[in-house]
Amino acid sequence: MAAPGHGGSTQPLSEDDAEELLRCICFKTGPPRTVGVELEWLVHDRYLPQLPVDEARLDRAFAGLRGLALGSALTFEPGGQLELSSPPAASLMECIDSTAADLTTVRTALARSGLTLTGYGHDPWNPPRRLLREPRYDAMEACFDRTGPAGRSMMCSSASVQVCLDAGHEEPGPLGLGRRWQLAHLLGAVLVAAFANSPAGAGGPTGWRSTRQSLWAGLDPARALAPPTGAPPRDAWAAHVLDTPVMCIRAAEGPWPVPDGLTFRQWIRSGKPRPPTRADLEYHMTTLFPPVRPRGHLELRMIDAQPGEAGWMVPLAVTMALFDDPEAAETAYRTVKPLAETAGTRPAPRNPLWESAARNGLTDPELHGAAVSCFAVALEALPRLGASQAVQDAVAAFHDRHVLPGRCPADDFSLLSKETSS
């Protein structure tokens, strides 16, 4: 689901203007009516996924993809991951059907090059390798390198299923903005645990069921954090954006400067090295990676890429059911609300709840109990959302194979496995 466009004013931005813009553009309220999905995939050799794919071979294959007729936006991540971002859809099945058709087109084209899309949250075999050489990624790498190797692995070796949902009603209630914001940050840990699918890296186990989530938690001190709890969502997000350090300052020529510790608020107040504009603020927001990112809608970013051709449909269907069906949303909220005590006062993903979700998956008894309850109400809600029998069966199969026995896809993984999505 693409972010709404807001132009690119070149006029200097005041602090008050920045706060007002953030409150207005990041949470668009109204009845939940649309859904979208952003699917990131690792790209491997179809028969030897353990071996890195030659860069020239990837370039040729990707060049052939750019001319495909797709409804989704096709982009490429720094390490050669492929991303398909669906347009906003009016129903779950419209989103699934259109995205599945695009995936079939892309897979068919890649197969002609002997390549395939692989559904893991983190590359289990190959070390990070950056292929895109652009000022944005040069600056991002320099920024992340200040705090360790997690940034390079996140940029070049990770993949996810990101679910995009409307922000919700302005009014209180199970579909209200405030409730959905709180639900996202508690249910998010349950989704991490249930769909954890990245237990390995560089050819060996990492000690995490979701290595991908551990990487997000290991980034710089603020960029991947949720805002502090307790404040209204608009106020909390506006303050968080303005008080997070700027990753880089875009320049027309040459490398982009990477300031050390300069928050956007400080940049506005100092006006140096040049006054920031509205376009700079909008760009700054794209360099923040919290588990839930408001972009007019809510972008849930915590789910690992899933195995199999249709594995991605399960987290999409479950998440939409638990947010957009009023009865399921109310039950899910009551189910996950007690998890706030475990989470404590630290923001996600750097609190005990999210850390246990990433490390332990559904072997954590509290997260297991919440997952069992949430999947049960999701299964009840899917017919009300118009889910096809095939989608209902896929969710039920995941429920029986993983959720009920307290397992996640990471528990099925073997370094010797060659299972891919096609």
Side-chain angles (χ1 to χ4, degrees), residues 122 128 144-145 147-158 211-220 350:
H122 183 264
F144 287 150
D145 281 353
T147 52
R152 291 197 182 204
S153 288
M154 179 277 293
M155 290 171 62
C156 302
S157 300
S158 67
T211 299
R212 174 182 169 273
Q213 187 58 53
S214 75
L215 294 174
W216 286 117
L219 293 185
D220 70 36
R350 287 199 196 123

Side-chain angles (χ1 to χ4, degrees), residues 1-4 35-41 72-75 77 82-88 95-96 99 103 158-165 212 216 286 289 293-295 297-306 312-313 315-316:
M1 186 185 293
V35 60
V37 68
E38 299 176 15
L39 302 177
E40 295 174 343
W41 301 89
S72 302
L74 173 68
T75 54
E77 296 297 310
L82 181 149
E83 180 175 336
L84 280 175
S85 301
S86 78
C95 183
I96 287 177
T99 306
L103 278 171
S158 67
S160 68
V161 175
Q162 298 178 17
V163 180
C164 300
L165 301 168
R212 174 182 169 273
W216 286 117
T286 71
F289 308 110
R293 185 163 65 181
R295 304 183 66 190
H297 56 275
L298 299 182
E299 183 182 81
L300 279 70
R301 304 172 47 84
M302 70 289 294
I303 302 168
D304 280 357
Q306 296 295 291
W312 60 273
M313 300 179 189
L316 170 61

Side-chain angles (χ1 to χ4, degrees), residues 166-229:
D166 288 329
H169 290 285
E170 193 69 39
E171 300 79 15
L175 301 184
L177 180 153
R179 174 74 66 84
R180 286 163 77 85
W181 183 248
Q182 186 176 7
L183 175 64
H185 288 91
L186 294 174
L187 179 63
V190 179
L191 298 176
V192 169
F195 296 109
N197 186 38
S198 50
T206 62
W208 299 84
R209 284 175 167 82
S210 179
T211 299
R212 174 182 169 273
Q213 187 58 53
S214 75
L215 294 174
W216 286 117
L219 293 185
D220 70 36
R223 195 164 308 282
L225 294 185
T229 59

Side-chain angles (χ1 to χ4, degrees), residues 89-101:
S91 69
L92 173 64
M93 290 314 302
E94 179 185 326
C95 183
I96 287 177
D97 289 344
S98 64
T99 306

Side-chain angles (χ1 to χ4, degrees), residues 73 78 83 102 135 171 173 223 269 308 310 314 335 367 404 406 411 418:
E83 180 175 336
D102 286 342
E171 300 79 15
R223 195 164 308 282
R269 291 177 178 178
V314 176
T335 298
L367 288 164
L404 284 180
D411 295 315
K418 294 184 181 181

